[in-house]
Amino acid sequence: MNIHPFPSPVDTPTGTRASRGLGIVVFLSMVLLTLLGLVLTDEDVVQGSTVRLMYIHVPAAWVAYLAFIVTAIASAMYMWGKQHSLTFDRIAGASAEVGVIFMGLSLVTGSLWGRLTWGTYWQWDPRLTTTAFLFVTYVGYLAVRDLGGSHQQRAKRSGVVALLAVLEIPLVHFSVVLWRSLHQKASVLQPNGNVTMDGLMLFTLLFGVAVFTLLFVWMVLHRQRVLTLADAIDDGGLEAALQERRNEAN
Amino acid sequence: MNGVDEAVRLHNAVVLLGSFPALAEASLVVKKGEIVLISGANGAGKTTLLRLCAGLVPLARGEASVLGFNLATQRKEAQAHVGMLGHANGLYLDLTAQENLQFWGAVVGASAREIALSAQRMGLHTRLLATTVAKMSAGQRRRTALAVLVIRRASLWLLDEPHAGLDAAGRDEIDSILREATSAGATVIVASHELERAGALATRRIEVVGGAIVERGAQ
Amino acid sequence: MNGVDEAVRLHNAVVLLGSFPALAEASLVVKKGEIVLISGANGAGKTTLLRLCAGLVPLARGEASVLGFNLATQRKEAQAHVGMLGHANGLYLDLTAQENLQFWGAVVGASAREIALSAQRMGLHTRLLATTVAKMSAGQRRRTALAVLVIRRASLWLLDEPHAGLDAAGRDEIDSILREATSAGATVIVASHELERAGALATRRIEVVGGAIVERGAQ
Amino acid sequence: MTHNSTSTISVARAIATKDLRIEWRSKVLVNQVLPFAGIVMVLFAFALDNDGILQRVAPGLVWLAVLFSSLIIVQRTFAIESADNALDAIKVAGVSSVGVFLGKSVALVVQLLLFECVLVLLSLVLYQVHLSWGGAVLLVTVSLLANVGLAAMGALYGGLGAAAKGRETLLPLLLLPAVAPVLIAATRATESAFRVGGATLGEGWPWVALLAVFGALFSFGGTLAFGVLTEE
Amino acid sequence: MTHNSTSTISVARAIATKDLRIEWRSKVLVNQVLPFAGIVMVLFAFALDNDGILQRVAPGLVWLAVLFSSLIIVQRTFAIESADNALDAIKVAGVSSVGVFLGKSVALVVQLLLFECVLVLLSLVLYQVHLSWGGAVLLVTVSLLANVGLAAMGALYGGLGAAAKGRETLLPLLLLPAVAPVLIAATRATESAFRVGGATLGEGWPWVALLAVFGALFSFGGTLAFGVLTEE
Ligand code: HEM
Ligand SMILES: Nc1ncnc2c1ncn2[C@@H]1O[C@H](COP(=O)(O)OP(=O)(O)OP(=O)(O)O)[C@@H](O)[C@H]1O
Ligand SMILES: Nc1ncnc2c1ncn2[C@@H]1O[C@H](COP(=O)(O)OP(=O)(O)OP(=O)(O)O)[C@@H](O)[C@H]1O
Ligand SMILES: [Mg+2]
Ligand SMILES: [Mg+2]
């Protein structure tokens, strides 16, 4: 007995021609980034080869910021849009999930890097601590999405949390300025607008940011479609459950 | 569309608790001034029906309006005119009956006189009024909760087994309170398993079966 | 002195809750095999009377014995034969009905068959047995509590408003369970406000007034 | 026929009065949480008593104790509402959720202030900190502002936890990262007030400004968000 | 006609199984108390991170976190019984109160052990403590023995608090001073295991003996006293 009024979600692909194209581009750029990071760029005068971690660490952190900002914007569009369209909510959710992954990546690469340069995986430094808090906050955001209730309710609740949580990003960013910190001061984008970095290194870093951004877009596209299908399965389950409930009456 | 003489209008209302459809496409129209008795087996969905009308559970599908307000968009407006007595009493156990009444008086804007009057009606005499709810017997708590309900002066009364736990005098009192309320224009919906008692009070009877509504006709 | 055919004997029993004498020199003798209905106003002391017989509240003055055991000295021995259903259900909300029954089965030593049988009697079908109590409706919880009571196979059944919250089928079932129990030699004391319903079941009726007992004669 | 709905302010007042009266009656916080926090601080004094470490970390300890107490206070303030399902009754009354939020927040602020007074006094005695008049003024300002932030966030996320039954689990997860900045700013300002590690009074006031910003932001955000998070 | 009353052991087993199953089902401790304790430890690290203080106080922090968690676990384990008044039902069943005490204690020991594993591992990472094999053995022994003492006292006073309704207030007041010796002994032994402040492994074992004495004493006393404290 198939009571689902739509093609089985299991068979529905989440890719389209465009997203597959994007996937290929992301893959190729990744290869190029690896080459740039590991082979083509020089060692740093002070940090030696460990500087190569930067090409993951920094883009991952920045794209995580981007993801959380996208989550906030999508949530705002859900809340203040006339339709209260769940699509925006699902984009917000997908973006936060990917952001948590990137933030985790940045934390991991950061602590590896810390082990190499500071001699310890973790320091109770403002940047590190606030980053950890940001990570926990979005884990909390995902937990709120999981609370149950209707989809609209999920969207409203998590939307509010997303708008509050995004305010933590400036705190993380300026934490190095606010507190005496071990962590690298803003070395790429300095407050006075000067850029202080060797040409190819800078290029690699920026290229890394671009690649990670594309990767982010690709992941969110797919994840968002998966969430759409999951919601559809929920709704389909409703039909079956209603039928069963009516049968109670005989 | 929403007739002014309709207190409740449900059309194919679905309510999900978790993923369980406690109401499965229930449709119902209650006119103003009616006293409707809802009966039905345990777990049929009576409590859920009342909670939907009170705006306490979200509508998953279908339409629902109360006193002309659409529950999906004007819940607060509707709630301002709805009073509900659930299975739980909604009292603060560390406060005395008097303090509970005062709190609700302040929240809903009832005067000290109204509070004293409704306490008296529900048989809360001086010693009881000064007793914390935690120390009261089951029926005394229920009486306090009913006194709180009375000062609401709601236009739509939703009662979940109001007679349970009350003694004979309390039962008579609540019946006469409900009759007075309807004759002053209010509407009453009562879920109950005491069919003789509540049936005598009701002007109409419906049954909830498996989350849907079956009419049982006027009495 | 304690006749073997007496299930309960109270003589001028006083029970204090805090400093309030919820029972004030109550005297009562219940014979084995009786079904006694206790009625009385809210706060009169019905629940306290049942809790005294269950050994849950201490006797401040007077004498009390249950099934021949003196409550002041042999409480545990008496309790081993007493089953009680209070206003609360005494269930674990995070466990399913099945798990609750299994727990009590292990505590009182009932077999899996008995458990399955009593669940079936109380209408706990497969879906319900696998539902956590927290998700159940009021009546479904009450049914689970009654199923737990049934597997106790007590000699003295103390029930505080057993009908409240149950639907018509549940009411009939509990009545027949109690009749069966007494015909097998057990004794039943029921506190209730539903006088018609419980009165039809009872072989004798007493009233609690202000913490003392007034006989109402056999029905 | 129904009463005119009451104003936001009177709802807030009714709720705050009721919460404080329940605490006054039951004394759960005073008898239970306060000794607990006190014992924490004593144990620390006991564990760290050497080389002036204690004085250096005293401000951090005070604010940690406040933070943990505040979690318990928030949980308690919503447990009161869930015990006999008064939360539903409040919802059905259809009153302004802003009023509910403000009432809960005010009651929390008052209770937190009481806690802080005791904890700060205790720390002065236990950790032998010297407090100047200027320091005292700074400290009072810090406490007031920090409390506003803590209370607003506590009321907001406590309400969410209570509304989503059985998921009180979320409270520490959501609340702690959100109020961590408040904790840090308050600690730094208290370091100035206590003059530990060579900090001067003047260094404290910028933190006060930060606390004010947080307090305002959280109260504003909470006021807007409470209804959405707790309803339905 | 009534069933034969079941043995003390089977009552204990039924109660312990049920408690652990409820925790397994509701995950309140894992999802709520554990993150809380974790965040406590993180915040401590943040507040105290300089000049090697952190390593020196790490053992104390671990046991403080255990102590607070144990308070919450005890409260929770009796909240389960009071929620729908199952405590009365258990009393009316007339079962052996020794069985109830043992069941509750065993469930507490199991839950505390789980907590300690996580907290100790966390402290190794957060506080960068080095643990030798000998240290690990010492630590496991300490945890086991300390838990027995904590659990027995917790079950005893938790039961008292639950029986005297609305007086849960009593729990920290009674429990904290009673288990303070356990806390101190466990901290000292853990200092040896972590080798902080020049402590050697050998110095730890006498504390273990003390913990064993406490554990035995508390279990024995609890078994005798539980019935008296909780009944009527
Ligand atoms: C667990 C440890 C670490 C964490 C959690 C962490 C976190 C972050 C974050 C969140 C950012 C983005 C900051 C922003 O622009 O707002 C960042 C940037 C950066 N990190 Fe780390 N980091 C860690 C360790 C390190 C280490 C060890 C180094 C090098 C010694 C390092 C070098 C950098 C650099 C160069 C940037 C770019 C700075 C800028 O222009 O703002 N990080 N890190
Ligand atoms: N979270 C949930 N998951 C699954 N089923 C649920 C959940 N919550 C409630 N239910 C089910 O939904 C139904 C709710 O029924 P409701 O409480 O409205 O019944 P009722 O008619 O008031 O019954 P009673 O006469 O026992 O009070 C019950 O069958 C219950 O088992
Ligand atoms: N701690 C206390 N202090 C003062 N009075 C108390 C205390 N505890 C209970 N009471 C009073 O003792 C009486 C207890 O009555 P009990 O619960 O036995 O009544 P009941 O006959 O079962 O009533 P109901 O029909 O309402 O269930 C009530 O009047 C109650 O107010
Ligand atoms: Mg119901
Ligand atoms: Mg009673």
Side-chain angles (χ1 to χ4, degrees):
Chain A
M1 180 189 72
N2 183 10
I3 36 75
H4 296 298
F6 49 85
S8 163
V10 182
D11 307 329
T12 314
T14 59
T16 59
R17 178 175 299 201
S19 75
R20 276 186 212 111
L22 180 60
I24 291 166
V25 172
V26 169
F27 179 76
L28 293 179
S29 339
M30 278 293 198
V31 174
L32 183 56
L33 178 64
T34 315
L35 265 180
L36 275 169
L38 291 184
V39 183
L40 297 177
T41 48
D42 286 330
E43 295 191 348
D44 186 73
V45 210
V46 198
Q47 302 210 348
S49 254
T50 61
V51 77
R52 300 183 197 285
L53 273 169
M54 176 174 71
Y55 308 127
I56 306 181
H57 174 72
V58 178
W62 287 353
V63 173
Y65 288 173
L66 174 70
F68 297 153
I69 292 169
V70 168
T71 298
I73 293 174
S75 300
M77 288 171 73
Y78 166 80
M79 293 220 257
W80 283 291
K82 279 229 167 56
Q83 312 290 322
H84 292 299
S85 158
L86 282 176
T87 309
F88 288 126
D89 168 62
R90 289 188 285 254
I91 291 176
S95 180
E97 285 175 3
V98 178
V100 164
I101 294 173
F102 279 120
M103 201 81 259
L105 187 63
S106 184
L107 276 164
V108 170
T109 52
S111 37
L112 291 177
W113 201 357
R115 173 73 209 187
L116 295 173
T117 58
W118 305 329
T120 162
Y121 288 109
W122 192 260
Q123 282 287 303
W124 293 102
D125 155 279
R127 162 63 57 81
L128 274 56
T129 309
T130 49
T131 309
F133 282 148
L134 187 64
F135 182 76
V136 172
T137 302
Y138 277 90
V139 171
Y141 167 84
L142 292 179
V144 170
R145 291 188 69 83
D146 231 22
L147 270 182
S150 68
H151 297 162
Q152 295 288 351
Q153 196 179 2
R154 173 192 72 194
K156 271 193 277 178
R157 278 183 178 154
S158 63
V160 168
V161 176
L163 290 176
L164 290 172
V166 77
L167 299 178
E168 265 179 59
I169 292 181
L171 194 79
V172 181
H173 184 73
F174 292 114
S175 59
V176 273
V177 190
L178 283 175
W179 293 283
R180 332 157 213 123
S181 166
L182 261 183
H183 190 273
Q184 222 68 356
K185 302 286 179 298
S187 48
V188 183
L189 299 170
Q190 283 180 346
N192 56 16
N194 288 350
V195 174
T196 52
M197 202 181 268
D198 160 273
L200 187 59
M201 277 174 76
L202 182 62
F203 172 77
T204 308
L205 181 62
L206 295 180
F207 183 67
V209 173
V211 175
F212 272 59
T213 309
L214 287 181
L215 177 63
F216 160 76
V217 171
W218 183 76
M219 286 172 83
V220 168
L221 272 181
H222 280 269
R223 189 62 198 147
Q224 182 271 124
R225 288 195 192 124
V226 172
L227 291 178
T228 310
L229 293 174
D231 284 358
I233 290 182
D234 270 4
D235 297 342
L238 172 60
E239 280 311 320
L242 276 179
Q243 192 56 48
E244 196 178 321
R245 180 74 160 145
R246 282 189 215 104
N247 289 343
E248 264 177 48
N250 295 325
Chain B
M1 208 205 93
N2 289 318
V4 270
D5 58 342
E6 282 174 8
V8 172
R9 164 179 286 276
L10 304 183
H11 183 66
N12 285 342
V14 174
V15 170
L16 296 178
L17 302 178
S19 58
F20 183 83
L23 281 193
E25 312 204 318
S27 299
L28 172 70
V29 176
V30 176
K31 294 241 162 55
K32 284 192 179 159
E34 282 190 296
I35 303 186
V36 179
L37 163 63
I38 310 181
S39 62
N42 291 136
K46 302 179 294 299
T47 298
T48 310
L49 179 63
L50 293 180
R51 289 173 62 83
L52 173 65
C53 296
L56 285 175
V57 287
L59 195 65
R61 224 163 63 187
E63 286 157 32
S65 63
V66 161
L67 299 168
F69 299 105
N70 185 332
L71 279 183
T73 54
Q74 304 169 288
R75 190 161 35 82
K76 283 261 151 172
E77 289 86 339
Q79 285 176 331
H81 304 275
V82 174
M84 166 144 180
L85 178 77
H87 284 298
N89 294 317
L91 300 171
Y92 297 104
L93 303 183
D94 288 317
L95 297 182
T96 64
Q98 177 73 38
E99 287 164 344
N100 268 289
L101 282 165
Q102 272 163 357
F103 169 71
W104 285 108
V107 169
V108 305
S111 70
R113 242 195 93 255
E114 279 177 287
I115 292 175
L117 222 69
S118 83
Q120 197 213 328
R121 268 202 97 156
M122 289 319 303
L124 301 174
H125 48 74
T126 326
R127 182 181 78 77
L128 270 186
L129 278 175
T131 308
T132 57
V133 174
K135 293 182 177 171
M136 288 186 174
S137 79
Q140 290 167 341
R141 292 181 193 198
R142 202 72 180 155
R143 281 166 176 265
T144 312
L146 280 163
V148 168
L149 186 65
V150 169
I151 62 171
R152 270 305 296 281
R153 287 204 283 150
S155 307
L156 174 63
W157 298 53
L158 306 168
L159 301 124
D160 212 347
E161 305 195 36
H163 298 109
L166 289 183
D167 59 19
R171 280 155 194 255
D172 292 345
E173 193 61 44
I174 176 79
D175 286 1
S176 84
I177 286 174
L178 293 181
R179 284 211 185 84
E180 276 169 37
T182 45
S183 67
T187 313
V188 176
I189 307 184
V190 178
S192 182
H193 294 295
E194 295 183 41
L195 303 184
E196 300 84 32
R197 178 97 215 174
L201 176 72
T203 55
R204 181 177 148 206
R205 193 172 145 189
I206 60 172
E207 190 172 340
V208 180
V209 183
I213 286 164
V214 181
E215 205 74 28
R216 286 280 171 229
Q219 302 259 306
Chain C
M1 209 205 91
N2 289 318
V4 269
D5 58 340
E6 283 174 6
V8 172
R9 165 179 286 277
L10 304 182
H11 182 67
N12 287 341
V14 175
V15 170
L16 297 178
L17 301 179
S19 58
F20 183 83
L23 278 193
E25 311 207 319
S27 299
L28 172 70
V29 175
V30 176
K31 294 242 161 55
K32 284 190 180 162
E34 281 190 296
I35 302 186
V36 179
L37 164 63
I38 311 181
S39 61
N42 290 137
K46 303 177 293 301
T47 298
T48 310
L49 179 62
L50 293 180
R51 288 173 64 83
L52 173 65
C53 296
L56 284 175
V57 287
L59 196 65
R61 222 163 65 190
E63 286 156 33
S65 62
V66 162
L67 300 168
F69 299 105
N70 185 330
L71 278 183
T73 54
Q74 305 169 286
R75 190 160 34 82
K76 284 262 153 174
E77 289 86 338
Q79 284 176 331
H81 304 276
V82 173
M84 165 144 180
L85 178 77
H87 285 298
N89 293 318
L91 300 171
Y92 297 104
L93 304 184
D94 288 317
L95 296 183
T96 64
Q98 177 73 39
E99 287 163 345
N100 269 289
L101 282 165
Q102 272 163 358
F103 169 71
W104 285 108
V107 169
V108 306
S111 70
R113 242 196 92 256
E114 280 177 287
I115 294 175
L117 223 68
S118 83
Q120 197 213 326
R121 269 204 96 155
M122 290 317 304
L124 302 174
H125 49 74
T126 326
R127 182 181 78 78
L128 270 186
L129 278 176
T131 307
T132 57
V133 174
K135 292 181 178 172
M136 287 186 176
S137 80
Q140 289 168 340
R141 292 181 193 199
R142 202 72 180 156
R143 281 166 177 264
T144 312
L146 281 164
V148 168
L149 186 64
V150 169
I151 63 170
R152 268 307 295 283
R153 286 204 283 150
S155 307
L156 173 62
W157 298 52
L158 306 169
L159 300 124
D160 214 348
E161 305 195 36
H163 299 110
L166 290 184
D167 59 19
R171 281 154 193 254
D172 293 344
E173 194 60 44
I174 176 78
D175 286 1
S176 84
I177 286 175
L178 293 180
R179 285 210 182 85
E180 275 170 38
T182 46
S183 67
T187 314
V188 175
I189 307 184
V190 178
S192 182
H193 294 293
E194 295 183 42
L195 304 184
E196 300 84 33
R197 179 95 215 175
L201 177 71
T203 57
R204 181 176 148 207
R205 193 173 143 187
I206 60 172
E207 189 171 340
V208 181
V209 181
I213 286 164
V214 180
E215 204 73 28
R216 287 279 170 229
Q219 302 259 307
Chain D
M1 187 181 117
T2 318
H3 295 277
N4 294 328
S5 71
T6 43
S7 72
T8 301
I9 295 299
S10 58
V11 169
R13 191 170 46 219
I15 297 229
T17 323
K18 181 248 328 165
D19 274 9
L20 293 174
R21 174 172 284 153
I22 289 180
E23 171 50 21
W24 179 252
R25 184 73 43 81
S26 68
K27 301 228 170 39
V28 166
L29 298 181
V30 171
N31 286 342
Q32 192 163 339
V33 188
L34 203 54
F36 181 70
I39 290 174
V40 175
M41 293 188 60
V42 172
L43 286 176
F44 265 107
F46 195 65
L48 296 182
D49 188 29
N50 43 13
D51 317 325
I53 299 178
L54 200 50
Q55 276 83 338
R56 268 241 300 295
V57 298
L61 293 182
V62 172
W63 284 102
L64 271 180
V66 169
L67 183 67
F68 300 145
S69 314
S70 73
L71 264 179
I72 307 182
I73 300 181
V74 168
Q75 240 149 9
R76 161 83 184 152
T77 205
F78 284 97
I80 291 169
E81 304 292 340
S82 329
D84 191 28
N85 216 352
L87 210 60
D88 273 353
I90 289 186
K91 281 187 201 163
V92 182
V95 295
S96 132
S97 51
V98 173
V100 177
F101 173 75
L102 291 180
K104 282 277 164 197
S105 299
V106 168
L108 282 173
V109 166
V110 173
Q111 296 175 44
L112 281 170
L113 265 184
L114 182 101
F115 262 69
E116 274 157 29
C117 285
V118 179
L119 293 182
V120 166
L121 287 180
L122 203 64
S123 78
L124 293 184
V125 176
L126 283 179
Y127 307 154
Q128 287 145 27
V129 182
H130 178 73
L131 190 63
S132 65
W133 281 111
V137 172
L138 177 59
L139 201 57
V140 170
T141 323
V142 168
S143 302
L144 273 173
L145 291 175
N147 280 347
V148 172
L150 281 177
M153 275 330 228
L156 181 64
Y157 286 133
L160 173 62
K165 284 198 187 79
R167 301 302 284 274
E168 294 81 5
T169 308
L170 279 177
L171 184 61
L173 197 65
L174 292 172
L175 189 57
L176 288 178
V179 300
V182 173
L183 179 79
I184 294 171
T187 306
R188 292 282 179 273
T190 309
E191 281 173 0
S192 304
F194 284 2
R195 304 263 183 122
V196 294
T200 65
L201 266 189
E203 287 174 29
W205 288 100
W207 293 108
V208 171
L210 196 65
L211 283 174
V213 172
F214 278 128
L217 207 70
F218 286 177
S219 312
F220 185 66
T223 309
L224 291 183
F226 189 74
V228 180
L229 279 192
T230 55
E231 263 151 40
E232 216 139 273
Chain E
M1 186 183 116
T2 319
H3 295 278
N4 294 328
S5 71
T6 44
S7 73
T8 300
I9 295 301
S10 59
V11 169
R13 190 172 44 222
I15 296 225
T17 322
K18 178 246 333 162
D19 274 10
L20 293 174
R21 175 173 285 153
I22 289 180
E23 169 49 22
W24 179 252
R25 184 72 42 81
S26 68
K27 301 228 169 41
V28 166
L29 298 182
V30 171
N31 284 342
Q32 192 162 340
V33 187
L34 203 56
F36 180 70
I39 290 173
V40 174
M41 293 184 61
V42 168
L43 285 176
F44 272 120
F46 187 61
L48 298 181
D49 186 35
N50 42 16
D51 315 325
I53 299 179
L54 198 51
Q55 275 84 339
R56 267 241 300 296
V57 299
L61 292 183
V62 173
W63 284 102
L64 268 181
V66 169
L67 183 68
F68 300 149
S69 315
S70 73
L71 265 178
I72 307 182
I73 299 181
V74 168
Q75 241 148 10
R76 161 84 184 152
T77 204
F78 284 98
I80 290 169
E81 304 291 340
S82 331
D84 192 26
N85 215 354
L87 209 61
D88 272 354
I90 288 186
K91 281 187 200 161
V92 182
V95 295
S96 135
S97 52
V98 173
V100 177
F101 173 74
L102 290 180
K104 282 277 163 195
S105 299
V106 168
L108 282 175
V109 166
V110 173
Q111 296 174 44
L112 281 171
L113 265 184
L114 181 101
F115 261 70
E116 273 156 32
C117 284
V118 178
L119 292 183
V120 166
L121 286 181
L122 203 63
S123 78
L124 294 184
V125 176
L126 285 179
Y127 306 154
Q128 287 146 26
V129 182
H130 179 74
L131 191 63
S132 65
W133 280 111
V137 172
L138 177 59
L139 202 57
V140 170
T141 323
V142 168
S143 302
L144 272 173
L145 291 175
N147 279 348
V148 173
L150 281 177
M153 276 331 233
L156 182 64
Y157 287 133
L160 173 62
K165 284 197 189 78
R167 300 303 284 275
E168 294 82 4
T169 307
L170 284 175
L171 184 62
L173 232 49
L174 292 172
L175 189 58
L176 286 178
V179 299
V182 173
L183 179 78
I184 293 170
T187 306
R188 291 283 174 277
T190 308
E191 280 172 2
S192 305
F194 284 2
R195 305 262 182 121
V196 294
T200 66
L201 266 189
E203 288 171 29
W205 289 100
W207 293 110
V208 170
L210 196 66
L211 284 175
V213 172
F214 277 125
L217 209 70
F218 286 176
S219 311
F220 186 66
T223 309
L224 291 184
F226 189 74
V228 180
L229 281 191
T230 54
E231 263 151 40
E232 218 131 275

